Amino acid sequence: MAESTAIAWGRVVPVEGEPIEGGTVLLRDGKIAAVEGPGFAVPDGADVVDATGKWVLPGFIDAHAHAGVHEEAEGWAGQDTNERTDPNAAHVRALDAINPADEGFRDAIMGGVLAVNVNPGSANPIGGQTAAIKCWGRTVDEMVLREPAGVKSALGENPKRTYGERNETPSTRLGTAAVIRGAFVAALNYQAKLAAEAAKDSSSERSVVERDLKLEALSRVLRREIPWRQHCHRADDIATAMRMAREFGYDLVIDHGTEAYLLADQIAAASIPVIIGPLFTSRSKVELRNRSLANPGRLAAAGVTIAITINPARIIGCADRIGSLSPGKDADLVIWSGDPLDVMSRAERAFVDGREIYRYDYDRREGVFADL
């Protein structure tokens, strides 16, 4: 086996730099060793992949996904997106329900997506902990990039419907906000109790503070170790999300943001990133009435960080490893037949940690995956 692989002579798009015509990306020991222009001397003994006429990009990243927990073609048995039994499910982890064998991961790879942030669903005001993972691996543990990568929360119709239909709290928007506020107040009290016990001089005076997995997760948000991933569509819900973030001082990420363009200046001023979409769907509920393909452009023009190119990696806290072609980062990249934003282009070959895991077989007219 060669010590290195050179993806050579293609149109290399590093993302954090200008495209390189006739460029070469050198992969070694699962990392990107070099990104060079024409004339680069490929090391002796390296495997050479001729990318002439092709585009070479880092793997795309979906910063809001349910792959592995909302499994393809599995029906009820593969539905683990929402733990609908508790409005505050901060203690549950997407990691514990992700099935690496989900066909959705292979669909993602065929579309050039090599990493996803898997979120719990939006049925609960507080849905649980997210996990940033790669799309390839035998167990989720070996796929993990960052875990937890955030805590999912939801405002608007979904928690209202889930609990309102059962005549339970919350059945209104104000009830949903109250559940979230109450949980954060409890987490602040928990932190204060831990600090008070730690401050006692004599170990004999200290009492054991019982662990609480919900409050531990929320405390990580309050300490700004992980962001608060806020599902919200309508402008009034987005305003509520921003209000609570100011009140408790955590890092907020707006997920979906269908009407975010109506508050673009305020979102930009608060430096809150927005993960938009999905956009290519029907207007299946009232909250999507004002869905617009112009939303990303309007937000970007206002100075809002949106989840395109390197930004998804930054939003999920993994930009040190993925999201661009830079020496030292993970060797996760895709060779495309042409511009990946052209619907006629195809992801022809994909590499994760420097290993080719996928290629499109034109003779068989299907994608072929490596063995795990």
Side-chain angles (χ1 to χ4, degrees):
M1 182 176 178
E3 293 183 357
S4 57
T5 300
I7 314 296
W9 315 307
R11 177 177 169 83
V12 176
V13 183
V15 174
E16 292 184 292
E18 294 298 316
I20 304 169
E21 298 292 349
T24 295
V25 182
L26 183 65
L27 316 180
R28 182 183 295 124
D29 298 328
K31 300 291 183 180
I32 297 172
V35 180
E36 301 291 343
F40 174 69
V42 175
D44 292 340
D47 280 338
V48 177
V49 177
D50 187 349
T52 302
K54 313 295 185 183
W55 289 50
V56 182
L57 286 92
F60 290 147
I61 303 160
D62 188 340
H64 179 131
H66 301 296
V69 296
H70 187 127
E71 296 180 49
E72 299 285 334
E74 290 292 331
W76 175 88
Q79 287 295 327
D80 293 300
T81 317
N82 287 294
E83 179 58 48
R84 298 173 183 265
T85 58
D86 191 335
N88 178 4
H91 57 311
V92 306
R93 307 187 306 168
L95 185 77
D96 296 323
I98 295 171
N99 181 5
D102 178 16
E103 197 64 28
F105 288 119
R106 287 165 176 76
D107 289 343
I109 291 168
M110 289 190 288
V113 177
L114 301 186
V116 294
N117 188 77
V118 182
N119 290 357
S122 52
N124 300 319
I126 304 175
Q129 299 165 48
T130 78
I133 65 172
K134 298 191 180 187
C135 292
W136 185 255
R138 286 190 300 165
T139 67
V140 70
D141 305 87
E142 65 191 69
M143 299 159 70
V144 167
L145 287 159
R146 185 186 184 204
E147 197 282 326
V151 172
K152 174 69 176 290
S153 174
L155 296 171
E157 291 179 3
N158 290 7
K160 273 186 60 172
R161 181 179 64 254
T162 299
Y163 291 93
E165 289 177 350
R166 304 199 302 237
N167 200 29
E168 297 175 2
T169 301
S171 62
T172 62
R173 279 181 163 81
L174 53 94
T176 300
V179 167
I180 295 170
R181 277 199 175 87
F184 275 124
V185 169
L188 288 170
N189 292 340
Y190 181 70
Q191 288 182 307
K193 185 181 291 186
L194 289 172
E197 290 301 322
K200 290 181 178 179
D201 294 331
S202 173
S203 59
S204 62
E205 295 178 358
R206 294 178 184 171
S207 61
V208 176
V209 178
E210 292 186 2
R211 290 186 64 186
D212 187 308
L213 295 180
K214 292 181 181 181
L215 300 181
E216 285 182 9
L218 293 171
S219 293
R220 297 192 70 174
V221 175
L222 291 171
R223 291 195 298 268
R224 306 180 83 165
E225 296 172 6
I226 53 177
W228 189 248
R229 295 291 301 270
Q230 189 70 72
H231 164 111
C232 45
H233 288 278
R234 275 182 13 185
D236 58 331
D237 290 325
I238 294 170
T240 296
M242 296 171 67
R243 185 182 315 117
M244 288 194 289
R246 290 193 300 269
E247 182 177 343
F248 292 100
Y250 50 74
D251 292 330
L252 174 65
V253 177
I254 293 172
D255 284 48
H256 303 306
T258 300
E259 294 184 357
Y261 64 92
L262 297 173
L263 301 176
D265 56 337
Q266 296 181 31
I267 295 170
S271 300
I272 297 169
V274 178
I275 301 172
I276 301 166
L279 290 176
F280 295 104
T281 62
S282 64
R283 292 176 174 84
S284 58
K285 58 182 182 177
V286 172
E287 290 183 347
L288 301 180
R289 177 181 293 159
N290 292 323
R291 188 203 69 203
S292 170
L293 292 174
N295 190 15
R298 291 171 175 172
L299 291 174
V304 176
T305 296
I306 56 176
I308 296 176
T309 64
I310 187 64
N311 291 339
R314 291 172 177 163
I315 290 170
I316 65 176
C318 299
D320 60 327
R321 293 184 59 183
I322 58 175
S324 64
L325 300 179
S326 304
K329 288 195 176 186
D330 293 2
D332 297 359
L333 56 85
V334 178
I335 301 174
W336 290 83
S337 60
D339 184 344
L341 298 184
D342 184 334
V343 295
M344 299 304 293
S345 295
R346 183 183 297 279
E348 294 186 336
R349 302 175 75 169
F351 295 76
V352 171
D353 295 323
R355 178 193 175 200
E356 185 175 7
I357 60 153
Y358 168 82
R359 77 169 61 189
Y360 184 78
D361 187 321
Y362 280 95
D363 292 331
R364 294 164 55 181
R365 296 182 182 275
E366 63 179 12
V368 179
F369 288 88
D371 293 331
L372 282 168

